[in-house]
Amino acid sequence: MFSESKLVRYDYEALTGSDKIRTIHLHATKDRIECSIQQISVTEGGYQALSYVWGSEETPFKAVIIDANKQELGYVPLTENLQSALCDLRDALEIKNKVFRIDEICINREGDEKSNQVAMMGDIYQNESRAISYVSPAVPDEKEQAGICLLQRLDKHFELNYDFIYGNYNLRNIIQTILELPVQEIPEDLQVSGEESEEDVGRHVKQSWRWLYQVANDKSMQRLWIVQDQLLNRQIIMLHGPSILFWDAVAAMNILFHLSTLPSRYQELELHCQTTSRPH
């Protein structure tokens, strides 16, 4: 039996070299967050870096650290956002490799280690096998699944635009040359004119446009760490709850909303539907 109530704060072993970093292996435990810590050379790679919005600085949760013999070594305190991210990482079936680099756990924030590790971030990004940006917790439901289906459909529809979009590193340049985009409009059955019947509004609501707008415009899309990851390592995915979204697809939707190719009024249809359906 585990005895979390008797656990003490995990005591980090000093890094054994100037090129060393820590990674964690996340275990498939359901009742708590449990992981083991390893030291590797930054050039070894093989780890996935997790980026997420910290949120509150309070750390009411714990990650239990165990050794190779499954003996408890102590705990590392976690913020609520990281607790949610680790639960979703553990449950994401498409993420097979459970070796991660997570600063909140992997860096001993006491003493000089933090500043030394921050100075290595460029090497860490370049040698990671993949970057994972945690968007937010999500409960898999009909809207979530419909939103993912809508994203996948639009991703396939607009993929001919991606070389043009990602080849222009300035949104202003894209706006000025927007007529050069190979695909100018969304599929006809997804278009709205602003004069939809209630039946049409209901159909668009079921397509989860509002979900797509919120995900594409999530504040994580503007975070500095994400931008740095994108510049140094193109292997980026986004985790929305336990669902995997591909960075290129979500980033493209964000740009297409800004270009009004995907008008923001689409996501307002759900609000309109909710307002008109309320009893007077």
Side-chain angles (χ1 to χ4, degrees):
M1 292 291 291
F2 294 119
S3 53
E4 269 193 57
S5 61
K6 298 180 181 179
L7 279 177
V8 297
R9 185 78 170 260
Y10 177 67
D11 186 19
Y12 287 89
E13 293 184 4
L15 293 171
T16 57
S18 60
D19 67 332
K20 297 294 185 181
I21 63 172
R22 296 187 188 90
T23 61
I24 69 164
H25 184 274
L26 187 60
H27 299 162
T29 49
K30 288 295 183 183
D31 56 338
R32 66 179 187 175
I33 296 298
E34 180 183 293
C35 57
S36 52
I37 292 181
Q38 306 82 30
Q39 289 191 33
I40 66 168
S41 169
V42 67
T43 57
E44 286 183 37
Y47 54 88
Q48 303 174 89
L50 176 69
S51 179
Y52 58 97
V53 177
W54 269 59
S56 172
E57 294 288 333
E58 296 182 3
T59 54
F61 298 99
K62 298 176 181 177
V64 179
I65 311 300
I66 65 171
D67 63 15
N69 297 317
K70 299 186 177 180
Q71 297 297 310
E72 296 172 339
L73 301 177
Y75 73 89
V76 174
L78 304 176
T79 60
E80 182 176 3
N81 279 9
L82 181 53
Q83 167 78 6
S84 297
L86 290 172
C87 287
D88 287 331
L89 277 174
R90 181 191 61 197
D91 297 339
L93 298 178
E94 294 180 65
I95 298 180
K96 305 299 183 184
N97 177 15
K98 301 293 184 179
V99 177
F100 301 102
R101 161 74 185 185
I102 303 172
D103 290 346
E104 196 173 327
I105 300 177
C106 295
I107 295 179
N108 181 1
R109 293 186 289 278
E110 303 293 332
D112 297 330
E113 183 177 296
K114 180 177 179 181
S115 59
N116 294 335
Q117 289 283 290
V118 169
M120 294 175 62
M121 285 302 176
D123 290 333
I124 291 171
Y125 288 139
Q126 287 181 320
N127 287 284
E128 66 195 14
S129 61
R130 182 165 65 174
I132 301 174
S133 173
Y134 184 66
V135 181
S136 63
V139 178
D141 58 14
E142 292 182 2
K143 289 183 180 179
E144 173 89 359
Q145 295 306 313
I148 292 174
C149 289
L150 178 62
L151 173 62
Q152 291 172 339
R153 183 179 177 192
L154 291 172
D155 177 39
K156 184 175 182 179
H157 179 75
F158 284 110
E159 64 181 348
L160 291 177
N161 290 350
Y162 289 1
D163 286 343
F164 181 87
I165 288 175
Y166 294 121
N168 280 279
Y169 295 100
N170 188 310
L171 184 59
R172 179 179 296 178
N173 291 341
I174 299 175
I175 293 173
Q176 291 174 343
T177 55
I178 190 171
L179 294 180
E180 297 179 23
L181 286 172
V183 183
Q184 294 283 325
E185 297 184 345
I186 64 174
E188 186 175 352
D189 65 306
L190 296 180
Q191 295 178 14
V192 295
S193 65
E195 301 178 355
E196 278 67 37
S197 66
E198 291 301 317
E199 181 180 350
D200 291 330
V201 170
R203 175 166 53 84
H204 286 295
V205 168
K206 289 182 180 179
Q207 292 167 351
S208 283
W209 279 99
R210 188 168 181 234
W211 177 94
L212 179 64
Y213 183 85
Q214 291 174 333
V215 169
N217 288 276
D218 188 88
K219 58 185 176 182
S220 65
M221 297 294 293
Q222 289 85 41
R223 295 187 64 234
L224 177 60
W225 295 120
I226 306 297
V227 175
Q228 289 177 326
D229 264 335
Q230 176 72 1
L231 292 174
L232 294 173
N233 189 323
R234 288 301 304 272
Q235 296 299 316
I236 300 179
I237 61 173
M238 304 181 75
L239 194 65
H240 188 262
S243 300
I244 290 192
L245 311 177
F246 289 96
W247 164 268
D248 283 352
V250 177
M253 297 307 113
N254 179 285
I255 293 171
L256 291 172
F257 273 117
H258 280 292
L259 296 176
S260 295
T261 305
L262 301 178
S264 60
R265 67 161 134 24
Y266 287 14
Q267 63 94 18
E268 296 167 3
L269 291 172
E270 183 171 343
L271 297 178
H272 169 77
C273 188
Q274 291 173 348
T275 301
T276 56
S277 64
R278 290 173 185 164
H280 297 285

